[in-house]
Amino acid sequence: MYLERVALRHIQMPLLAPFETSGWVETERSCIIVAVFGGGLIGWGECVAMDGPWYSYETTETAWHILRDFLVPMVLGQDIQHAEDLSAQFERVRGHPMAKAGLEIAIWDWLAKASGVSLAQALGGVRDRVDVGVSVGIQPSLANLVERVERYLIEGYRRIKIKIKPGWDVAAVQALRRAFPELRLQVDANSAYTLAHVPIFQALDEYNLLLVEQPLGADDLFDHAQLQQQLRTPICLDESIHTPDDARVALSLGSCRVINIKPGRVGGLAASRRIHDLCAAQNIPVWCGGMLETGIGRAANVALASLPNFRLPGDISASARYYAEEVIDPPFVLNPDSTLTVPRGPGIGVHVDERQLDRFTLRRMACPA
């Protein structure tokens, strides 16, 4: 397939409510939407870099630069047959996995459409529905937290993840366990702790959590291995896993018993699938994390989560969890069994509403071959 043109859009969408983690608060979601054109088809991808370097060093500004000046010129005017080949091609650019993933996912979508198969089929997915949960940010009070979680349970979510930070951890879990003793519950620290906080995690060990996500440094593997040895609860790594090699080393060290796969964090769908396969071979479950994606990125995540070793509910959630208005039609909705339906149409399988995209677009650029 000859890639004729690439278009970039920097969009900003208001969130329904502020989303607070241990390190930052988001009230709007900024990202870059990537569209690739060729053979009368359009492929869509989403670069999940944020405006600030809080989760990652990448931002919308750095990703725009890397896409415009380096990655897009590598593929424009090229005959592309397999999206898997892009990882090797993009290795000339060090780092910048979110920028790479945005373009790579768009090409996966484009090639899947050309072949007349869904993205899930192209990746090797086996499920028609994927289990999902909901992520709850840090709340003003414990009462607010319990009320917010109850609301999501009424909506139909069966797994809850809460953000924690020093001073907002054991008491928050205690409050939820008192209110919902059987709740499938996990916590996410976003690297807010050190080994000096081991007693906190030993206290959390008593509350039957599914996992503790990324408690220590964002680039650490060694200290996580020390912490995991002292806990019954599985540690799940997120920020520490940038590549399939990171996953291999983490499993060798015993740094975790679960891995959260985010395509943007690891450079795209091909790398995500390699991490999935590596973990499957060692009987390590994986799940699909979220970056407050629009429906475009959400569709790609749902397709990825249909692979067989995604054995824990993902942070994918329905569109209405975050947005009053979507850029796809129809939006993703939660099924009664706390799942999202995997789109079966060609590519990502959702219709992108370009009029809605226009409303949220801050800037755009077209790159002809």
Side-chain angles (χ1 to χ4, degrees), residues 153-187:
L153 293 175
I154 291 170
E155 289 179 13
Y157 291 101
R158 297 180 184 174
R159 189 232 70 189
I160 301 292
K161 179 176 91 174
I162 65 167
K163 298 289 187 177
I164 61 171
K165 65 180 180 179
W168 180 269
D169 39 49
V170 178
V173 171
Q174 286 175 332
L176 291 177
R177 273 288 172 250
R178 283 195 297 267
F180 315 106
E182 303 303 318
L183 175 63
R184 300 185 74 191
L185 178 63
Q186 61 194 57
V187 299

PDB file of all heavy atoms in Angstrom, residues 153-187:
ATOM      1  N   LEU A 153     -20.224   1.571  40.415  1.00  0.00           N
ATOM      2  CA  LEU A 153     -20.758   0.219  40.581  1.00  0.00           C
ATOM      3  C   LEU A 153     -22.208   0.155  40.104  1.00  0.00           C
ATOM      4  O   LEU A 153     -22.620  -0.826  39.473  1.00  0.00           O
ATOM      5  CB  LEU A 153     -20.655  -0.211  42.049  1.00  0.00           C
ATOM      6  CG  LEU A 153     -19.232  -0.393  42.583  1.00  0.00           C
ATOM      7  CD1 LEU A 153     -19.257  -0.692  44.074  1.00  0.00           C
ATOM      8  CD2 LEU A 153     -18.504  -1.501  41.834  1.00  0.00           C
ATOM      9  N   ILE A 154     -22.979   1.183  40.387  1.00  0.00           N
ATOM     10  CA  ILE A 154     -24.364   1.241  39.906  1.00  0.00           C
ATOM     11  C   ILE A 154     -24.396   1.281  38.382  1.00  0.00           C
ATOM     12  O   ILE A 154     -25.266   0.672  37.744  1.00  0.00           O
ATOM     13  CB  ILE A 154     -25.091   2.461  40.511  1.00  0.00           C
ATOM     14  CG1 ILE A 154     -25.293   2.253  42.014  1.00  0.00           C
ATOM     15  CG2 ILE A 154     -26.422   2.709  39.813  1.00  0.00           C
ATOM     16  CD1 ILE A 154     -25.787   3.491  42.745  1.00  0.00           C
ATOM     17  N   GLU A 155     -23.435   1.983  37.775  1.00  0.00           N
ATOM     18  CA  GLU A 155     -23.372   2.036  36.312  1.00  0.00           C
ATOM     19  C   GLU A 155     -23.036   0.672  35.708  1.00  0.00           C
ATOM     20  O   GLU A 155     -23.278   0.451  34.520  1.00  0.00           O
ATOM     21  CB  GLU A 155     -22.330   3.060  35.864  1.00  0.00           C
ATOM     22  CG  GLU A 155     -22.750   4.500  36.113  1.00  0.00           C
ATOM     23  CD  GLU A 155     -21.679   5.492  35.677  1.00  0.00           C
ATOM     24  OE1 GLU A 155     -20.725   5.076  34.963  1.00  0.00           O
ATOM     25  OE2 GLU A 155     -21.786   6.680  36.037  1.00  0.00           O
ATOM     26  N   GLY A 156     -22.426  -0.227  36.510  1.00  0.00           N
ATOM     27  CA  GLY A 156     -22.157  -1.572  36.011  1.00  0.00           C
ATOM     28  C   GLY A 156     -20.708  -2.000  36.021  1.00  0.00           C
ATOM     29  O   GLY A 156     -20.385  -3.123  35.629  1.00  0.00           O
ATOM     30  N   TYR A 157     -19.792  -1.118  36.453  1.00  0.00           N
ATOM     31  CA  TYR A 157     -18.384  -1.502  36.526  1.00  0.00           C
ATOM     32  C   TYR A 157     -18.170  -2.464  37.695  1.00  0.00           C
ATOM     33  O   TYR A 157     -18.679  -2.233  38.799  1.00  0.00           O
ATOM     34  CB  TYR A 157     -17.487  -0.272  36.690  1.00  0.00           C
ATOM     35  CG  TYR A 157     -17.440   0.593  35.461  1.00  0.00           C
ATOM     36  CD1 TYR A 157     -18.181   1.764  35.371  1.00  0.00           C
ATOM     37  CD2 TYR A 157     -16.650   0.225  34.375  1.00  0.00           C
ATOM     38  CE1 TYR A 157     -18.150   2.558  34.232  1.00  0.00           C
ATOM     39  CE2 TYR A 157     -16.603   1.010  33.227  1.00  0.00           C
ATOM     40  CZ  TYR A 157     -17.354   2.175  33.165  1.00  0.00           C
ATOM     41  OH  TYR A 157     -17.316   2.952  32.031  1.00  0.00           O
ATOM     42  N   ARG A 158     -17.412  -3.517  37.445  1.00  0.00           N
ATOM     43  CA  ARG A 158     -17.193  -4.534  38.475  1.00  0.00           C
ATOM     44  C   ARG A 158     -15.772  -4.540  39.033  1.00  0.00           C
ATOM     45  O   ARG A 158     -15.487  -5.283  39.967  1.00  0.00           O
ATOM     46  CB  ARG A 158     -17.520  -5.922  37.908  1.00  0.00           C
ATOM     47  CG  ARG A 158     -18.984  -6.076  37.513  1.00  0.00           C
ATOM     48  CD  ARG A 158     -19.257  -7.457  36.962  1.00  0.00           C
ATOM     49  NE  ARG A 158     -20.626  -7.591  36.483  1.00  0.00           N
ATOM     50  CZ  ARG A 158     -21.095  -8.652  35.845  1.00  0.00           C
ATOM     51  NH1 ARG A 158     -20.288  -9.683  35.606  1.00  0.00           N
ATOM     52  NH2 ARG A 158     -22.354  -8.693  35.439  1.00  0.00           N
ATOM     53  N   ARG A 159     -14.891  -3.736  38.443  1.00  0.00           N
ATOM     54  CA  ARG A 159     -13.541  -3.592  38.973  1.00  0.00           C
ATOM     55  C   ARG A 159     -13.205  -2.116  39.081  1.00  0.00           C
ATOM     56  O   ARG A 159     -13.425  -1.344  38.146  1.00  0.00           O
ATOM     57  CB  ARG A 159     -12.523  -4.277  38.056  1.00  0.00           C
ATOM     58  CG  ARG A 159     -11.112  -4.352  38.665  1.00  0.00           C
ATOM     59  CD  ARG A 159     -10.060  -3.797  37.729  1.00  0.00           C
ATOM     60  NE  ARG A 159     -10.178  -2.348  37.582  1.00  0.00           N
ATOM     61  CZ  ARG A 159      -9.501  -1.638  36.695  1.00  0.00           C
ATOM     62  NH1 ARG A 159      -8.681  -2.228  35.850  1.00  0.00           N
ATOM     63  NH2 ARG A 159      -9.651  -0.322  36.617  1.00  0.00           N
ATOM     64  N   ILE A 160     -12.690  -1.739  40.252  1.00  0.00           N
ATOM     65  CA  ILE A 160     -12.365  -0.342  40.529  1.00  0.00           C
ATOM     66  C   ILE A 160     -10.862  -0.218  40.784  1.00  0.00           C
ATOM     67  O   ILE A 160     -10.277  -1.011  41.527  1.00  0.00           O
ATOM     68  CB  ILE A 160     -13.134   0.181  41.766  1.00  0.00           C
ATOM     69  CG1 ILE A 160     -14.651   0.060  41.560  1.00  0.00           C
ATOM     70  CG2 ILE A 160     -12.729   1.617  42.075  1.00  0.00           C
ATOM     71  CD1 ILE A 160     -15.237   0.968  40.509  1.00  0.00           C
ATOM     72  N   LYS A 161     -10.244   0.789  40.187  1.00  0.00           N
ATOM     73  CA  LYS A 161      -8.872   1.164  40.521  1.00  0.00           C
ATOM     74  C   LYS A 161      -8.904   2.558  41.102  1.00  0.00           C
ATOM     75  O   LYS A 161      -9.563   3.450  40.547  1.00  0.00           O
ATOM     76  CB  LYS A 161      -7.984   1.148  39.274  1.00  0.00           C
ATOM     77  CG  LYS A 161      -6.541   1.549  39.570  1.00  0.00           C
ATOM     78  CD  LYS A 161      -5.662   1.439  38.331  1.00  0.00           C
ATOM     79  CE  LYS A 161      -5.621   2.731  37.559  1.00  0.00           C
ATOM     80  NZ  LYS A 161      -4.643   2.671  36.438  1.00  0.00           N
ATOM     81  N   ILE A 162      -8.202   2.748  42.226  1.00  0.00           N
ATOM     82  CA  ILE A 162      -8.109   4.095  42.784  1.00  0.00           C
ATOM     83  C   ILE A 162      -6.649   4.562  42.753  1.00  0.00           C
ATOM     84  O   ILE A 162      -5.724   3.767  42.902  1.00  0.00           O
ATOM     85  CB  ILE A 162      -8.672   4.190  44.216  1.00  0.00           C
ATOM     86  CG1 ILE A 162      -7.841   3.352  45.196  1.00  0.00           C
ATOM     87  CG2 ILE A 162     -10.134   3.804  44.239  1.00  0.00           C
ATOM     88  CD1 ILE A 162      -8.153   3.657  46.663  1.00  0.00           C
ATOM     89  N   LYS A 163      -6.479   5.838  42.536  1.00  0.00           N
ATOM     90  CA  LYS A 163      -5.166   6.456  42.622  1.00  0.00           C
ATOM     91  C   LYS A 163      -4.821   6.672  44.094  1.00  0.00           C
ATOM     92  O   LYS A 163      -5.690   7.045  44.901  1.00  0.00           O
ATOM     93  CB  LYS A 163      -5.146   7.792  41.881  1.00  0.00           C
ATOM     94  CG  LYS A 163      -5.437   7.690  40.387  1.00  0.00           C
ATOM     95  CD  LYS A 163      -4.290   7.040  39.639  1.00  0.00           C
ATOM     96  CE  LYS A 163      -4.519   7.092  38.135  1.00  0.00           C
ATOM     97  NZ  LYS A 163      -3.387   6.531  37.374  1.00  0.00           N
ATOM     98  N   ILE A 164      -3.551   6.431  44.446  1.00  0.00           N
ATOM     99  CA  ILE A 164      -3.101   6.665  45.805  1.00  0.00           C
ATOM    100  C   ILE A 164      -1.839   7.519  45.795  1.00  0.00           C
ATOM    101  O   ILE A 164      -1.160   7.626  44.774  1.00  0.00           O
ATOM    102  CB  ILE A 164      -2.844   5.348  46.573  1.00  0.00           C
ATOM    103  CG1 ILE A 164      -1.739   4.519  45.894  1.00  0.00           C
ATOM    104  CG2 ILE A 164      -4.129   4.549  46.731  1.00  0.00           C
ATOM    105  CD1 ILE A 164      -1.284   3.309  46.700  1.00  0.00           C
ATOM    106  N   LYS A 165      -1.542   8.106  46.949  1.00  0.00           N
ATOM    107  CA  LYS A 165      -0.307   8.867  47.173  1.00  0.00           C
ATOM    108  C   LYS A 165      -0.072   8.869  48.672  1.00  0.00           C
ATOM    109  O   LYS A 165      -0.991   8.544  49.457  1.00  0.00           O
ATOM    110  CB  LYS A 165      -0.435  10.290  46.633  1.00  0.00           C
ATOM    111  CG  LYS A 165      -1.473  11.148  47.351  1.00  0.00           C
ATOM    112  CD  LYS A 165      -1.535  12.553  46.766  1.00  0.00           C
ATOM    113  CE  LYS A 165      -2.586  13.401  47.486  1.00  0.00           C
ATOM    114  NZ  LYS A 165      -2.634  14.791  46.936  1.00  0.00           N
ATOM    115  N   PRO A 166       1.138   9.201  49.129  1.00  0.00           N
ATOM    116  CA  PRO A 166       1.377   9.260  50.568  1.00  0.00           C
ATOM    117  C   PRO A 166       0.350  10.161  51.262  1.00  0.00           C
ATOM    118  O   PRO A 166       0.150  11.316  50.867  1.00  0.00           O
ATOM    119  CB  PRO A 166       2.793   9.833  50.670  1.00  0.00           C
ATOM    120  CG  PRO A 166       3.462   9.347  49.408  1.00  0.00           C
ATOM    121  CD  PRO A 166       2.394   9.423  48.360  1.00  0.00           C
ATOM    122  N   GLY A 167      -0.313   9.602  52.268  1.00  0.00           N
ATOM    123  CA  GLY A 167      -1.375  10.318  52.960  1.00  0.00           C
ATOM    124  C   GLY A 167      -2.757  10.000  52.431  1.00  0.00           C
ATOM    125  O   GLY A 167      -3.769  10.351  53.060  1.00  0.00           O
ATOM    126  N   TRP A 168      -2.823   9.379  51.267  1.00  0.00           N
ATOM    127  CA  TRP A 168      -4.116   8.959  50.685  1.00  0.00           C
ATOM    128  C   TRP A 168      -3.920   7.531  50.164  1.00  0.00           C
ATOM    129  O   TRP A 168      -3.702   7.307  48.984  1.00  0.00           O
ATOM    130  CB  TRP A 168      -4.538   9.896  49.557  1.00  0.00           C
ATOM    131  CG  TRP A 168      -5.858   9.537  48.905  1.00  0.00           C
ATOM    132  CD1 TRP A 168      -6.041   8.735  47.815  1.00  0.00           C
ATOM    133  CD2 TRP A 168      -7.166   9.952  49.310  1.00  0.00           C
ATOM    134  NE1 TRP A 168      -7.373   8.619  47.510  1.00  0.00           N
ATOM    135  CE2 TRP A 168      -8.097   9.362  48.412  1.00  0.00           C
ATOM    136  CE3 TRP A 168      -7.642  10.746  50.344  1.00  0.00           C
ATOM    137  CZ2 TRP A 168      -9.467   9.557  48.512  1.00  0.00           C
ATOM    138  CZ3 TRP A 168      -9.012  10.954  50.438  1.00  0.00           C
ATOM    139  CH2 TRP A 168      -9.905  10.369  49.540  1.00  0.00           C
ATOM    140  N   ASP A 169      -3.921   6.577  51.073  1.00  0.00           N
ATOM    141  CA  ASP A 169      -3.651   5.193  50.676  1.00  0.00           C
ATOM    142  C   ASP A 169      -4.394   4.204  51.557  1.00  0.00           C
ATOM    143  O   ASP A 169      -5.484   3.757  51.196  1.00  0.00           O
ATOM    144  CB  ASP A 169      -2.138   4.896  50.646  1.00  0.00           C
ATOM    145  CG  ASP A 169      -1.360   5.547  51.774  1.00  0.00           C
ATOM    146  OD1 ASP A 169      -1.780   5.429  52.940  1.00  0.00           O
ATOM    147  OD2 ASP A 169      -0.306   6.166  51.491  1.00  0.00           O
ATOM    148  N   VAL A 170      -3.859   3.860  52.724  1.00  0.00           N
ATOM    149  CA  VAL A 170      -4.473   2.821  53.546  1.00  0.00           C
ATOM    150  C   VAL A 170      -5.883   3.214  53.973  1.00  0.00           C
ATOM    151  O   VAL A 170      -6.814   2.406  53.887  1.00  0.00           O
ATOM    152  CB  VAL A 170      -3.594   2.514  54.771  1.00  0.00           C
ATOM    153  CG1 VAL A 170      -4.283   1.452  55.655  1.00  0.00           C
ATOM    154  CG2 VAL A 170      -2.221   2.019  54.341  1.00  0.00           C
ATOM    155  N   ALA A 171      -6.073   4.436  54.395  1.00  0.00           N
ATOM    156  CA  ALA A 171      -7.402   4.869  54.842  1.00  0.00           C
ATOM    157  C   ALA A 171      -8.413   4.809  53.698  1.00  0.00           C
ATOM    158  O   ALA A 171      -9.585   4.448  53.907  1.00  0.00           O
ATOM    159  CB  ALA A 171      -7.332   6.283  55.418  1.00  0.00           C
ATOM    160  N   ALA A 172      -7.975   5.150  52.485  1.00  0.00           N
ATOM    161  CA  ALA A 172      -8.880   5.095  51.335  1.00  0.00           C
ATOM    162  C   ALA A 172      -9.305   3.655  51.044  1.00  0.00           C
ATOM    163  O   ALA A 172     -10.482   3.380  50.783  1.00  0.00           O
ATOM    164  CB  ALA A 172      -8.203   5.706  50.117  1.00  0.00           C
ATOM    165  N   VAL A 173      -8.337   2.739  51.098  1.00  0.00           N
ATOM    166  CA  VAL A 173      -8.655   1.330  50.865  1.00  0.00           C
ATOM    167  C   VAL A 173      -9.555   0.797  51.976  1.00  0.00           C
ATOM    168  O   VAL A 173     -10.517   0.062  51.725  1.00  0.00           O
ATOM    169  CB  VAL A 173      -7.365   0.509  50.734  1.00  0.00           C
ATOM    170  CG1 VAL A 173      -7.668  -0.985  50.723  1.00  0.00           C
ATOM    171  CG2 VAL A 173      -6.612   0.909  49.466  1.00  0.00           C
ATOM    172  N   GLN A 174      -9.265   1.158  53.224  1.00  0.00           N
ATOM    173  CA  GLN A 174     -10.111   0.733  54.349  1.00  0.00           C
ATOM    174  C   GLN A 174     -11.554   1.182  54.149  1.00  0.00           C
ATOM    175  O   GLN A 174     -12.497   0.415  54.373  1.00  0.00           O
ATOM    176  CB  GLN A 174      -9.568   1.311  55.662  1.00  0.00           C
ATOM    177  CG  GLN A 174      -8.320   0.659  56.184  1.00  0.00           C
ATOM    178  CD  GLN A 174      -7.780   1.361  57.420  1.00  0.00           C
ATOM    179  OE1 GLN A 174      -7.990   2.576  57.601  1.00  0.00           O
ATOM    180  NE2 GLN A 174      -7.087   0.625  58.268  1.00  0.00           N
ATOM    181  N   ALA A 175     -11.728   2.434  53.738  1.00  0.00           N
ATOM    182  CA  ALA A 175     -13.079   2.966  53.558  1.00  0.00           C
ATOM    183  C   ALA A 175     -13.843   2.186  52.497  1.00  0.00           C
ATOM    184  O   ALA A 175     -15.035   1.878  52.660  1.00  0.00           O
ATOM    185  CB  ALA A 175     -13.005   4.451  53.186  1.00  0.00           C
ATOM    186  N   LEU A 176     -13.161   1.849  51.411  1.00  0.00           N
ATOM    187  CA  LEU A 176     -13.824   1.102  50.352  1.00  0.00           C
ATOM    188  C   LEU A 176     -14.101  -0.340  50.771  1.00  0.00           C
ATOM    189  O   LEU A 176     -15.143  -0.908  50.422  1.00  0.00           O
ATOM    190  CB  LEU A 176     -12.985   1.139  49.076  1.00  0.00           C
ATOM    191  CG  LEU A 176     -12.906   2.504  48.395  1.00  0.00           C
ATOM    192  CD1 LEU A 176     -11.995   2.440  47.175  1.00  0.00           C
ATOM    193  CD2 LEU A 176     -14.291   2.999  47.993  1.00  0.00           C
ATOM    194  N   ARG A 177     -13.204  -0.949  51.506  1.00  0.00           N
ATOM    195  CA  ARG A 177     -13.429  -2.318  51.960  1.00  0.00           C
ATOM    196  C   ARG A 177     -14.599  -2.389  52.954  1.00  0.00           C
ATOM    197  O   ARG A 177     -15.364  -3.352  52.935  1.00  0.00           O
ATOM    198  CB  ARG A 177     -12.166  -2.885  52.591  1.00  0.00           C
ATOM    199  CG  ARG A 177     -11.232  -3.523  51.578  1.00  0.00           C
ATOM    200  CD  ARG A 177     -11.813  -4.856  51.076  1.00  0.00           C
ATOM    201  NE  ARG A 177     -11.020  -5.395  49.968  1.00  0.00           N
ATOM    202  CZ  ARG A 177     -11.425  -5.465  48.715  1.00  0.00           C
ATOM    203  NH1 ARG A 177     -12.623  -5.011  48.376  1.00  0.00           N
ATOM    204  NH2 ARG A 177     -10.679  -5.988  47.782  1.00  0.00           N
ATOM    205  N   ARG A 178     -14.741  -1.365  53.794  1.00  0.00           N
ATOM    206  CA  ARG A 178     -15.891  -1.342  54.706  1.00  0.00           C
ATOM    207  C   ARG A 178     -17.195  -1.223  53.924  1.00  0.00           C
ATOM    208  O   ARG A 178     -18.190  -1.879  54.248  1.00  0.00           O
ATOM    209  CB  ARG A 178     -15.765  -0.181  55.693  1.00  0.00           C
ATOM    210  CG  ARG A 178     -14.773  -0.425  56.823  1.00  0.00           C
ATOM    211  CD  ARG A 178     -14.959   0.583  57.940  1.00  0.00           C
ATOM    212  NE  ARG A 178     -14.686   1.940  57.492  1.00  0.00           N
ATOM    213  CZ  ARG A 178     -13.501   2.549  57.601  1.00  0.00           C
ATOM    214  NH1 ARG A 178     -12.475   1.893  58.132  1.00  0.00           N
ATOM    215  NH2 ARG A 178     -13.347   3.784  57.187  1.00  0.00           N
ATOM    216  N   ALA A 179     -17.186  -0.375  52.896  1.00  0.00           N
ATOM    217  CA  ALA A 179     -18.415  -0.143  52.130  1.00  0.00           C
ATOM    218  C   ALA A 179     -18.713  -1.268  51.145  1.00  0.00           C
ATOM    219  O   ALA A 179     -19.880  -1.608  50.916  1.00  0.00           O
ATOM    220  CB  ALA A 179     -18.307   1.197  51.390  1.00  0.00           C
ATOM    221  N   PHE A 180     -17.657  -1.857  50.581  1.00  0.00           N
ATOM    222  CA  PHE A 180     -17.832  -2.858  49.516  1.00  0.00           C
ATOM    223  C   PHE A 180     -16.866  -4.021  49.754  1.00  0.00           C
ATOM    224  O   PHE A 180     -15.822  -4.112  49.097  1.00  0.00           O
ATOM    225  CB  PHE A 180     -17.570  -2.231  48.144  1.00  0.00           C
ATOM    226  CG  PHE A 180     -18.228  -0.885  47.938  1.00  0.00           C
ATOM    227  CD1 PHE A 180     -17.466   0.286  47.953  1.00  0.00           C
ATOM    228  CD2 PHE A 180     -19.595  -0.780  47.761  1.00  0.00           C
ATOM    229  CE1 PHE A 180     -18.056   1.521  47.773  1.00  0.00           C
ATOM    230  CE2 PHE A 180     -20.201   0.457  47.577  1.00  0.00           C
ATOM    231  CZ  PHE A 180     -19.433   1.606  47.579  1.00  0.00           C
ATOM    232  N   PRO A 181     -17.194  -4.912  50.678  1.00  0.00           N
ATOM    233  CA  PRO A 181     -16.234  -5.965  51.079  1.00  0.00           C
ATOM    234  C   PRO A 181     -15.779  -6.866  49.940  1.00  0.00           C
ATOM    235  O   PRO A 181     -14.645  -7.363  49.960  1.00  0.00           O
ATOM    236  CB  PRO A 181     -17.017  -6.761  52.133  1.00  0.00           C
ATOM    237  CG  PRO A 181     -18.064  -5.813  52.634  1.00  0.00           C
ATOM    238  CD  PRO A 181     -18.422  -4.954  51.474  1.00  0.00           C
ATOM    239  N   GLU A 182     -16.618  -7.098  48.942  1.00  0.00           N
ATOM    240  CA  GLU A 182     -16.287  -8.040  47.861  1.00  0.00           C
ATOM    241  C   GLU A 182     -15.790  -7.343  46.593  1.00  0.00           C
ATOM    242  O   GLU A 182     -15.614  -7.986  45.556  1.00  0.00           O
ATOM    243  CB  GLU A 182     -17.505  -8.896  47.526  1.00  0.00           C
ATOM    244  CG  GLU A 182     -18.082  -9.671  48.711  1.00  0.00           C
ATOM    245  CD  GLU A 182     -17.040 -10.564  49.358  1.00  0.00           C
ATOM    246  OE1 GLU A 182     -16.267 -11.221  48.610  1.00  0.00           O
ATOM    247  OE2 GLU A 182     -16.984 -10.606  50.603  1.00  0.00           O
ATOM    248  N   LEU A 183     -15.571  -6.061  46.668  1.00  0.00           N
ATOM    249  CA  LEU A 183     -15.183  -5.291  45.484  1.00  0.00           C
ATOM    250  C   LEU A 183     -13.850  -5.762  44.911  1.00  0.00           C
ATOM    251  O   LEU A 183     -12.890  -5.990  45.649  1.00  0.00           O
ATOM    252  CB  LEU A 183     -15.065  -3.811  45.867  1.00  0.00           C
ATOM    253  CG  LEU A 183     -14.559  -2.837  44.802  1.00  0.00           C
ATOM    254  CD1 LEU A 183     -15.516  -2.778  43.625  1.00  0.00           C
ATOM    255  CD2 LEU A 183     -14.365  -1.449  45.411  1.00  0.00           C
ATOM    256  N   ARG A 184     -13.796  -5.912  43.585  1.00  0.00           N
ATOM    257  CA  ARG A 184     -12.524  -6.158  42.900  1.00  0.00           C
ATOM    258  C   ARG A 184     -11.794  -4.818  42.825  1.00  0.00           C
ATOM    259  O   ARG A 184     -12.146  -3.937  42.048  1.00  0.00           O
ATOM    260  CB  ARG A 184     -12.752  -6.731  41.500  1.00  0.00           C
ATOM    261  CG  ARG A 184     -13.494  -8.058  41.475  1.00  0.00           C
ATOM    262  CD  ARG A 184     -13.572  -8.606  40.068  1.00  0.00           C
ATOM    263  NE  ARG A 184     -12.287  -9.146  39.623  1.00  0.00           N
ATOM    264  CZ  ARG A 184     -12.003  -9.494  38.371  1.00  0.00           C
ATOM    265  NH1 ARG A 184     -12.909  -9.333  37.420  1.00  0.00           N
ATOM    266  NH2 ARG A 184     -10.822  -9.982  38.061  1.00  0.00           N
ATOM    267  N   LEU A 185     -10.763  -4.689  43.655  1.00  0.00           N
ATOM    268  CA  LEU A 185     -10.135  -3.391  43.898  1.00  0.00           C
ATOM    269  C   LEU A 185      -8.629  -3.470  43.678  1.00  0.00           C
ATOM    270  O   LEU A 185      -7.976  -4.438  44.084  1.00  0.00           O
ATOM    271  CB  LEU A 185     -10.422  -2.962  45.346  1.00  0.00           C
ATOM    272  CG  LEU A 185      -9.817  -1.636  45.820  1.00  0.00           C
ATOM    273  CD1 LEU A 185     -10.369  -0.450  45.031  1.00  0.00           C
ATOM    274  CD2 LEU A 185     -10.091  -1.453  47.320  1.00  0.00           C
ATOM    275  N   GLN A 186      -8.090  -2.452  43.037  1.00  0.00           N
ATOM    276  CA  GLN A 186      -6.649  -2.315  42.891  1.00  0.00           C
ATOM    277  C   GLN A 186      -6.271  -0.847  43.046  1.00  0.00           C
ATOM    278  O   GLN A 186      -7.136   0.034  42.955  1.00  0.00           O
ATOM    279  CB  GLN A 186      -6.162  -2.852  41.538  1.00  0.00           C
ATOM    280  CG  GLN A 186      -6.729  -2.147  40.314  1.00  0.00           C
ATOM    281  CD  GLN A 186      -6.495  -2.928  39.039  1.00  0.00           C
ATOM    282  OE1 GLN A 186      -6.902  -4.083  38.921  1.00  0.00           O
ATOM    283  NE2 GLN A 186      -5.824  -2.305  38.077  1.00  0.00           N
ATOM    284  N   VAL A 187      -4.973  -0.592  43.304  1.00  0.00           N
ATOM    285  CA  VAL A 187      -4.518   0.776  43.547  1.00  0.00           C
ATOM    286  C   VAL A 187      -3.364   1.102  42.611  1.00  0.00           C
ATOM    287  O   VAL A 187      -2.624   0.221  42.166  1.00  0.00           O
ATOM    288  CB  VAL A 187      -4.085   0.976  45.019  1.00  0.00           C
ATOM    289  CG1 VAL A 187      -5.260   0.727  45.955  1.00  0.00           C
ATOM    290  CG2 VAL A 187      -2.898   0.091  45.387  1.00  0.00           C
TER     291      VAL A 187
END
